[in-house]
Amino acid sequence: DIVMTQSPDSLAVSLGERATINCKSSQSVLYSSNNKNYLAWYQQKPGQPPNLLISWASTRESGVPDRFSGSGSGTDFTLTISSLQAEDVAVYYCQQYFSTPYTFGQGTKLEIK
Amino acid sequence: QLQLQESGPGLVKPSETLSLTCTVSGGSISSSSYYWGWIRQPPGKGLEWIGSIYYSGSTYYNPSLKSRVTISVDTSKNQFSLKLSSVTAADTAVYYCGRFLEWLSPLDVWGQGTTVNVSS
């Protein structure tokens, strides 16, 4: 199984400041034949299901604010929120879909400082 | 707009079988390329993929649960189902159903989730 490890486990950022969450996979999730990273980011607010923010490591889903961005390749990935808003308080998960079993990171809890 | 809704008992006794159904509305479960799956989240913990199914009936399970899991599809009802046998307290979780746009893709649509407690 591919192990996904996020850092930090929790993060407190001031409103309007940048938030950065890291995700590391135990093996590469870059498929060489199409040069795509099989890595997604989800946002989960209390009492709600996860919501897909970013797929293919850096492709924002429709309707996701452009303050959210994803970067990285191979085994190291980053989710950046450029200017934190109050509604961004949530737990964020990375997930690899390079191979089954699909696996998720342990989650990063983002709060307002 | 595609919607998924989980249904089933909220309480299951240890050693019994957990059974849940996901009803798909606003689209066809038989649409080509889509896969359908189950994810669970124990209280206060992270997410675990349980397994996926294609409308043809092809299934893919997490090896950690494979011996206890059965996922099936009923295209006439636009539903797919999960059975997890020999449950223990460790199977207490929120169970989500979801859609994968294709094989090896993220879940782009999730149900609201249903809480299942395993307790006598």
Side-chain angles (χ1 to χ4, degrees), chain B residues 49-110:
Chain B
W49 172 73
I50 299 170
S52 296
I53 191 165
Y54 191 55
Y55 77 91
S56 64
S58 298
T59 52
Y60 310 85
Y61 299 137
N62 192 323
S64 68
L65 297 168
K66 187 174 183 177
S67 64
R68 298 193 292 131
V69 172
T70 303
I71 297 176
S72 58
V73 64
D74 186 335
T75 56
S76 67
K77 294 181 179 179
N78 229 31
Q79 295 176 334
F80 61 104
S81 299
L82 168 70
K83 291 188 185 300
L84 181 65
S85 63
S86 305
V87 297
T88 69
D91 296 309
T92 293
V94 176
Y95 286 76
Y96 297 101
C97 60
R99 183 187 76 173
F100 302 80
L101 277 174
E102 58 187 2
W103 186 240
L104 298 181
S105 74
L107 287 104
D108 71 322
V109 181
W110 295 65

Side-chain angles (χ1 to χ4, degrees), chain A residues 97-112:
Chain A
Y97 46 97
F98 181 85
S99 65
T100 58
Y102 301 131
T103 48
F104 295 82
Q106 79 277 18
T108 295
K109 186 174 184 178
L110 178 59
E111 299 173 314
I112 304 293

Side-chain angles (χ1 to χ4, degrees), chain A residues 28-95:
Chain A
S28 176
V29 298
L30 173 63
Y31 194 33
S32 55
S33 66
N34 59 11
N35 202 36
K36 284 186 170 184
N37 286 284
Y38 286 57
L39 188 284
W41 288 98
Y42 299 86
Q43 175 192 64
Q44 187 177 31
K45 296 182 179 179
Q48 296 184 18
N51 178 49
L52 178 63
L53 295 177
I54 288 171
S55 57
W56 310 110
S58 60
T59 301
R60 225 173 9 251
E61 295 299 301
S62 174
V64 175
D66 61 7
R67 63 180 179 273
F68 290 90
S69 63
S71 62
S73 184
T75 62
D76 292 279
F77 301 91
T78 299
L79 174 69
T80 301
I81 307 172
S82 59
S83 177
L84 189 71
Q85 304 300 303
E87 61 265 33
D88 301 334
V89 169
V91 179
Y92 292 84
Y93 294 94
C94 61
Q95 180 223 347

Side-chain angles (χ1 to χ4, degrees), chain B residues 13-57:
Chain B
K13 290 183 169 54
S15 80
E16 295 189 344
T17 296
L18 177 161
S19 296
L20 297 174
T21 296
C22 182
T23 300
V24 179
S25 59
S28 173
I29 202 170
S30 302
S31 297
S32 63
S33 88
Y34 296 160
Y35 285 74
W36 309 89
W38 291 95
I39 307 290
R40 70 180 182 178
Q41 185 171 36
K45 295 188 178 180
L47 300 158
E48 180 180 34
W49 172 73
I50 299 170
S52 296
I53 191 165
Y54 191 55
Y55 77 91
S56 64

